[in-house]
Structure formats: C-alpha cells, structure tokens
Amino acid sequence: LMIISQNADAYSAEELGQKLKELGIKAPGSGNDLTDPFPFNLMFQTQIGPSGTSPGFLRPETAQSIFVNFKRLLDYNRDRMPFAAAQIGLAFRNEISPRAGLLRVREFLQAEIEHFVNPNDKSHVRFDKIKDNKAYLFSRELQNQKGGKSVLMSFGEAVEKKIIDNQTLAYFLARTQLFLTTCGVSPLKLRFRQHLANEMAHYAADCWDAEIYLRGYKWVEVAGHADRSAYDLKVHSKATKTTLEAQKSLSTPRIENVIEAVPVMKLMGKAFKGDAKIVRAHLVDLDQEGVLALEKELAGGSAKITAGGKEFSLLPQHVDIRKYEKKISTESFIPSVIEPSFGVGRIIYSILDNAISFHGSGKDKRTILRIPAVIAPIKAGIFAVTAKEGLQKTAKQIRQALVEEGLSVQLDLGTTTIGRKYAKADEVGIPYCVSIDDDTKNDGKVTIRDRDSWKQVRVRIEEIPDVIRQLCRLKLSFEACLKKYGEFKL
C-alpha cells in the first residue's frame, strides 16, 4: 500500500482502481466500496466578460508567460543563446484535498526559471564549477529496485553515466542544492528523485524533483527540474503561426541548393480573387519535396492543391519555380528549455522544519530557531544590560548604524534580564545579539553573541556595522570572529 501511495501519480485510472480492489480497500468511514478513479481537472475554470459566456482558466504555472514572450526576451538578450528568464508569481490548482499547511494548497507562490538552449548542445559554461559537488540521487533504476535507496554521487559522474541527461540540467540541480543548503536544509535530508518513465510528460527528456525529508510527512517535493525539450515553443509557434526560433552562427558557411514556389500575385489575384492570400500562404509553406511535386504536376499543364479547406487549380503562369544556390552562414533552431520550478511555500515550510530545535528539558527547555543569518528576517538584536540612560543611548546609536547598512534589527531596552532577552531572540531566529554593558563606557566595546554556539566576542562599537553585515552576508564566519577577537567569557 505504501508503494502504491508513493507512486499513485504513475498509475492510470484503471490501474489504480485495480490495485485498490486487489488490496480490498474500503471507504474509511462507511466501509463501502470505493468508486472507480476518474480524471479530475486540476485547472480552475472561470468566466470572462460581462456576459460570462467566455470560459477562462487560472494559470496552473507561471512558465507560459515566458514562452509567449520568447521573441522579446531573445531580442533583449541581443539574439544570444543560451539565455534564461525567471518569474515569480501566484499559480492555482484545483487541489482535491488541501491540507498540511503550506504543503498542499490551491493557491501558491511559484518561482520558475526557463533556460533556453540549443537542443543539440546542452552543455553549460559553468558546469566545471559544480561537477565535483555531490548529492543524494534517487535514479529511476534505483526506484525500480526492491529496497532501493538514493546514492551519494557527484554531478559530473551522473552526467558521464547518463543518469542525468545533460550538463545544464545537472548544473541547475547543483545550484538548487546550494540554495537549499544555504537556506539551512540539511544535506542529509535532501535528495533528487528522477521521474519514473510513466510519470514523465511525453515531451520531456529528463525530470528530477528536489525532495526534503520533513518530520511527519517524510519526503516532500519542493522543486522540480525538467528538460521540457522544445515542446512549448513548438506548440505556441503552431497555434500563433509565429516563428519562435533562435539562430546559431556557423563556423564554416555552407552552400545549399534552394528550390521554392514563388506566387505570381498579379495573375493569382485575377484568378482566385479573395482566395489568393490563402493560395499564397500554402505555396510559401511548401517544403522542398512539396515544391518538386508541384513542379512535376504543373509540367502536365495544371496542378490541384487544397488550401483553407478549398480546392484550387493552379496553372504554370501562377507560380514561379525558382532554383538557386544559397550561402548559409547561420542555422535556425527551436530552442529546448531546462526548467527549474520552485514551490516557495513548501521551501519556507522546509526551512522552518529544519531550523527548529530544542535545548534542555523541563523548565529549562528552550526553543531555538536556527534560521541562517543570510535569510533571517531580523539580523541582530540590540540589548542594553541595564536601563541606565547612557547604555540606552549607545544602543540606539548602534541600531541606527545597522539600519543605515540595510540590516533589520530588533531593539529591546526593557528591564528583562539579558538571559531572557537572549532566549526570546533565539525563539524568533535572530542570529546575533549585540549587548551593551557597564564596561562599554570604559573600553568602547560591546558583546556580539552567536545564537547557534552561544559563544561571544567583544568588538569595538565602530566595527559593529561592518562585522554584522559581513556575518549576515556570509562573507565572515563567527569562527573567524573568535580567532580575530578571542572568545569573551563572563
């Protein structure tokens, strides 16, 4: 049952229904037989316009806006390939059973990258920088093995063995890993699972999900990575009759024999009148084989074509068959796209799940939210050890200096003990606390306390903004501060 539950998306409606019958599963409340599974539209339908007669759908993903604007984006990038576009926004899916807080909802924030590449060259210019990075990969082959588990493997090895289809897809998997671990997700709780063959979209070349192990929910998908091939651009191009192609300069130009059917519009206009444009469009769209077949038929005196649902008879004077040599310096292609897609709500939930920890027991039990400083909403707490006016003035000056550096801080000038202030700061995830005490007047120094280690250093007041900024931007570690300033012990 667990295997079926984990792979439910991979079964057809008939297969899933048969599995449920084989296991004898009944309705939990009544014990009645379950109805057969049936297709369910995950898109939200709505009505557009004052009459409500025009149907519309809320977008189930943000990606299509980027595909529609492909030509503008390519122009913005000066026709250079490869390139990427990113977008963040709301998406809507008609979830059958919303639950588990941010994990399964009908309206969610989605962030997507569409990275356009030449379908014949999916290498990545920065692949060498990540090829030695290792991650837990749960390949399709391992999933099909009894008791199969993910294995730790470098991205370079995975591409070399064709476990991951190409360098660009592997590069984005590695960047996702770096992003999630920097946000505080434990590498031991992160894996990349490859889609099974029956999970894959018919147009996809390869797909991997980033999954995080969450307490109470086990492995939860937080990001998807798909090589969508050129499917989206081809479909949009066909529907809009717009060319959505990029070009590549050839290192050595080549000569091609070209044959084309050029409509003689002056004569066609007289012969076909309002339908001349339909006939012209048909002739322009003919490939080389079609032109040759037309030429052969015209040699017999006339040719019959079907265009726009109508049949027309062409005479030799209506079409000019041209044959010539053409120097080709560029090659046109419809780009493939590599798409990393992130569920923002699920990622935030995962960060909090990984960050929360407990210290001590009983009355001494403390909750600590170990959110990394780089993403912590509040970067520093500023506390005066006592309510003396001089100390409070210094605390306000430090707060102002940190705010001017663009850092969000929390100022607490209350009479609560410094230990209680530290505990409250730990609960809301403040990574560093700056405390001003009676010695500050004499030595011009204040204490910086690290949330995760509870260790402290004494730093001159004028250095505080620079030190806190570097700590929060990962330019400086607290271990380096301990070496530079020495640990301060009461």
Side-chain angles (χ1 to χ4, degrees):
L1 181 60
M2 183 63 70
I3 295 174
I4 294 173
S5 175
Q6 292 174 347
N7 297 279
D9 291 342
Y11 294 107
S12 67
E14 293 75 16
E15 290 172 337
L16 186 58
Q18 185 59 37
K19 292 288 184 183
L20 294 175
K21 289 177 181 177
E22 289 175 2
L23 293 170
I25 297 174
K26 304 290 184 180
S30 63
N32 294 331
D33 292 336
L34 297 176
T35 56
D36 291 331
F38 58 90
F40 182 79
N41 192 350
L42 286 175
M43 293 177 66
F44 273 115
Q45 186 171 359
T46 185
Q47 288 77 40
I48 299 173
S51 64
T53 56
S54 300
F57 295 87
L58 300 182
R59 65 179 183 185
E61 63 176 2
T62 63
Q64 298 307 319
S65 300
I66 296 176
F67 296 127
V68 168
N69 285 290
F70 171 76
K71 290 188 73 173
R72 293 186 179 90
L73 293 168
L74 181 62
D75 181 60
Y76 174 79
N77 202 49
R78 301 180 182 180
D79 295 327
R80 294 173 299 181
M81 289 287 294
F83 76 92
Q87 178 170 309
I88 184 169
L90 289 175
F92 306 85
R93 294 182 188 173
N94 191 14
E95 187 64 54
I96 298 173
S97 179
R99 59 187 183 277
L102 293 173
L103 298 185
R104 195 170 289 279
V105 293
R106 291 189 171 120
E107 175 185 337
F108 55 95
L109 194 62
Q110 189 176 44
E112 292 188 302
I113 299 170
E114 308 302 328
H115 185 90
F116 297 96
V117 297
N118 188 324
N120 298 318
D121 181 13
K122 295 180 181 178
S123 61
H124 198 284
V125 68
R126 288 191 285 273
F127 180 72
D128 285 345
K129 293 185 177 181
I130 60 90
K131 68 178 182 180
D132 295 325
N133 294 9
K134 292 185 177 182
Y136 287 96
L137 303 180
F138 199 20
S139 67
R140 188 178 300 129
E141 182 182 354
L142 290 172
Q143 293 174 66
N144 288 325
Q145 293 177 5
K146 186 176 181 180
K149 295 181 179 179
S150 57
V151 296
L152 187 64
M153 182 182 295
S154 72
F155 290 103
E157 182 184 356
V159 172
E160 186 179 344
K161 293 182 176 179
K162 296 302 291 181
I163 295 172
I164 299 175
D165 186 72
N166 57 75
Q167 288 187 8
T168 299
L169 183 58
Y171 175 78
F172 280 107
L173 291 175
R175 289 303 301 267
T176 296
Q177 181 194 41
L178 177 62
F179 166 67
L180 292 173
T181 53
T182 301
C183 288
V185 175
S186 169
L188 299 176
K189 294 183 178 181
L190 171 64
R191 74 179 184 187
F192 293 97
R193 187 186 71 83
Q194 188 177 31
H195 282 202
L196 297 172
N198 51 4
E199 290 181 276
M200 295 268 285
H202 64 89
Y203 53 80
D206 197 9
C207 294
W208 291 78
D209 289 339
E211 297 182 335
I212 298 175
Y213 193 89
L214 302 178
R215 50 190 121 189
Y217 301 107
K218 298 188 177 179
W219 292 104
V220 174
E221 173 198 350
V222 299
H225 307 75
D227 181 340
R228 297 174 69 128
S229 67
Y231 176 78
D232 297 276
L233 290 182
K234 285 179 178 178
V235 170
H236 282 295
S237 180
K238 183 178 179 180
T240 61
K241 294 181 170 40
T242 303
T243 301
L244 299 177
E245 295 180 343
Q247 290 189 329
K248 174 187 176 183
S249 296
L250 298 176
S251 56
T252 304
R254 66 175 185 267
I255 304 298
E256 285 189 357
N257 293 318
V258 178
I259 179 169
E260 59 185 9
V262 180
V264 182
M265 293 304 295
K266 185 177 181 180
L267 298 177
M268 280 179 49
K270 291 179 179 179
F272 305 119
K273 296 185 170 34
D275 292 328
K277 289 184 179 179
I278 299 175
V279 177
R280 177 186 179 278
H282 174 81
L283 295 174
V284 170
D285 288 340
L286 287 176
D287 57 17
Q288 186 167 318
E289 291 182 3
V291 175
L292 289 172
L294 178 66
E295 182 186 34
K296 184 178 180 180
E297 196 172 349
L298 286 172
S302 66
K304 292 190 180 297
I305 65 168
T306 301
K310 298 179 181 180
E311 189 173 278
F312 301 93
S313 180
L314 292 176
L315 299 177
Q317 59 265 33
H318 293 150
V319 186
D320 183 12
I321 304 297
R322 296 180 184 177
K323 298 178 182 179
Y324 57 93
E325 289 185 342
K326 184 178 182 181
K327 183 179 179 181
I328 307 296
S329 301
T330 59
E331 182 180 68
S332 297
F333 60 90
I334 300 177
S336 288
V337 66
I338 311 296
E339 179 196 71
S341 177
F342 303 87
V344 177
R346 289 189 175 192
I347 290 174
I348 291 174
Y349 186 99
S350 302
I351 290 170
L352 294 174
D353 185 80
N354 276 261
I356 194 166
S357 62
F358 304 96
H359 188 274
S361 59
K363 293 182 179 179
D364 297 325
K365 186 176 181 179
R366 290 174 60 171
T367 302
I368 303 174
L369 197 60
R370 300 182 189 275
I371 300 176
V374 69
I375 61 169
I378 303 172
K379 306 300 186 185
I382 304 170
F383 309 136
V385 174
T386 66
K388 293 179 181 179
E389 186 175 341
L391 300 186
Q392 294 194 358
K393 182 179 179 181
T394 301
K396 291 176 182 178
Q397 290 172 345
I398 293 174
R399 174 197 172 277
Q400 185 61 32
L402 291 174
V403 169
E404 289 175 358
E405 288 290 335
L407 301 171
S408 55
V409 299
Q410 185 181 85
L411 177 66
D412 187 347
L413 301 178
T415 57
T416 310
T417 64
I418 192 66
R420 297 275 294 179
K421 291 178 180 179
Y422 284 158
K424 289 180 179 179
D426 291 346
E427 281 190 345
V428 295
I430 299 175
Y432 304 106
C433 292
V434 179
S435 58
I436 300 95
D437 54 37
D438 291 329
D439 291 333
T440 301
K441 292 181 180 180
N442 302 323
D443 60 13
K445 295 182 178 181
V446 295
T447 301
I448 299 179
R449 176 211 184 241
D450 177 51
R451 175 200 61 208
D452 297 337
S453 66
W454 291 7
K455 292 182 178 180
Q456 304 177 93
V457 294
R458 293 282 287 181
V459 179
R460 295 194 63 80
I461 292 175
E462 57 268 25
E463 294 182 66
I464 290 297
D466 185 57
V467 171
I468 296 295
R469 185 186 69 250
Q470 291 195 57
L471 285 169
C472 292
R473 293 179 182 172
L474 305 182
K475 302 295 184 183
L476 177 69
S477 67
F478 199 77
E479 288 74 17
C481 286
L482 290 170
K483 290 180 180 179
K484 180 178 180 179
Y485 300 106
E487 184 178 356
F488 174 70
K489 297 181 179 180
L490 296 174

